[in-house]
Amino acid sequence: MHDDIFALPLEEIVHTAVSILSERTRLIAWGALLDCLLGLPRVLKNFTFLVPDEELDDLSAILNSLHLPIGTLPTYVVSSEGDFLLRGRLHRVSVSTSPQGIQCLHLFPASLPGYIDDELEPTPLDRTSITLYAPRPSAVYAGILRIMRKYRQHCAERYRLQSDLELLVNYNLLELEKPSVLAESFEVPDMDDRVETAVERIRRWGKAGEWRPGEEFVEDLLIAIVKGEMYPRDLPALELASDEKTLRVGGTSLSGFEARTPCLPEISAPPSSSTFSSSAPTTS
């Protein structure tokens, strides 16, 4: 290992760390890294991986042994992301420590989205022999809806998830291109065709049995969003589940939302040596 790891190029630092971690456990791409794999125009600033909850501390210790310290972020950054920065461990991989320039390798507990083995597919990291795992598209959407129901309607986590879902629908399902800032109009002349193609794709996921038992309603929700019949902000939140309300889409009762009464996820606080700074991630 290089005596001063920060003397190495950023890409080499990340590849070195990920290679060592991937020999210990299965790393699941998440956050901006997963978005890039799904075709979203994300700037890859942080490198987020889902890891088994029970291995989180040991894997963080490995990064510390590589002299990659816990990242310190200002309060306003942490509060804008909520649990998505508070949970897990962020280790700095950049020379810069400023809020604008810092880049981190983020180890996040896999229990929040809760992907299962059948939903994961191996994928290489960039141009390396390192094997990561990525959830298939249908699992990504179902996972977002699953997480959204764990949070109340108006909170940082919900706003982040709603934004992520909108971007995924636009760029992954409808395959829109990022508009030029100089464009006079953002209208898409073939939108009807794009919607039809997206609906057909979602229906194929259902026919292939990709929804979990009891989550088949995700198919109708996604189609309603793609068609503009509902918006991500309309999706059930913690209050709806607690009140045992039923969501209706196109006259159909989606009773799958009635059966569960989720609670707010517990926030695992970083160890005392890694607390976030209160003096001064994107989903990443």
Side-chain angles (χ1 to χ4, degrees), residues 68-270:
L68 297 175
I70 291 290
T72 302
L73 300 176
T75 301
Y76 73 86
V77 174
V78 177
S79 62
S80 68
E81 297 283 342
D83 270 4
F84 300 127
L85 284 182
L86 288 172
R87 294 167 67 98
R89 306 288 184 269
L90 288 96
H91 287 261
R92 180 168 59 85
V93 293
S94 62
V95 174
S96 174
T97 60
S98 71
Q100 296 76 25
I102 190 171
Q103 293 181 264
C104 294
L105 196 158
H106 188 183
L107 302 180
F108 197 87
S111 61
L112 186 61
Y115 301 124
I116 58 178
D117 290 347
D118 289 346
E119 296 171 339
L120 300 174
E121 302 169 341
T123 184
L125 173 63
D126 296 336
R127 299 167 299 281
T128 71
S129 59
I130 301 171
T131 299
L132 304 177
Y133 291 83
R136 63 194 181 200
S138 59
V140 174
Y141 290 102
I144 289 177
L145 267 64
R146 201 178 304 125
I147 299 171
M148 289 179 78
R149 296 188 59 246
K150 296 181 179 181
Y151 292 97
R152 300 192 180 279
Q153 189 73 45
H154 303 291
C155 65
E157 294 85 357
R158 278 281 304 201
Y159 293 143
R160 169 64 185 275
L161 290 165
Q162 289 167 192
S163 175
D164 286 350
L165 183 55
E166 289 179 4
L167 288 172
L168 280 166
V169 168
N170 286 336
Y171 291 106
N172 178 257
L173 285 176
L174 297 175
E175 298 184 349
L176 300 178
E177 295 182 2
K178 187 175 181 179
S180 168
V181 294
L182 300 177
E184 296 182 0
S185 173
F186 293 158
E187 292 184 5
V188 181
D190 59 345
M191 181 59 80
D192 289 343
D193 293 338
R194 291 176 183 271
V195 169
E196 183 178 351
T197 299
V199 169
E200 291 175 355
R201 183 184 178 196
I202 296 169
R203 291 296 188 203
R204 285 198 299 271
W205 294 338
K207 292 176 182 177
E210 295 190 13
W211 308 120
R212 296 184 190 181
E215 291 189 351
E216 295 85 357
F217 55 80
V218 173
E219 184 171 316
D220 289 330
L221 286 180
L222 278 181
I223 289 175
I225 292 174
V226 165
K227 289 183 174 181
E229 297 172 353
M230 68 181 303
Y231 298 95
R233 64 174 180 269
D234 300 324
L235 293 171
L238 182 64
E239 293 95 339
L240 287 177
S242 300
D243 295 339
E244 296 187 346
K245 294 181 181 178
T246 305
L247 185 71
R248 302 184 68 85
V249 177
T252 301
S253 173
L254 302 180
S255 58
F257 282 104
E258 291 182 292
R260 305 174 182 82
T261 307
C263 58
L264 286 169
E266 295 181 359
I267 296 177
S268 58

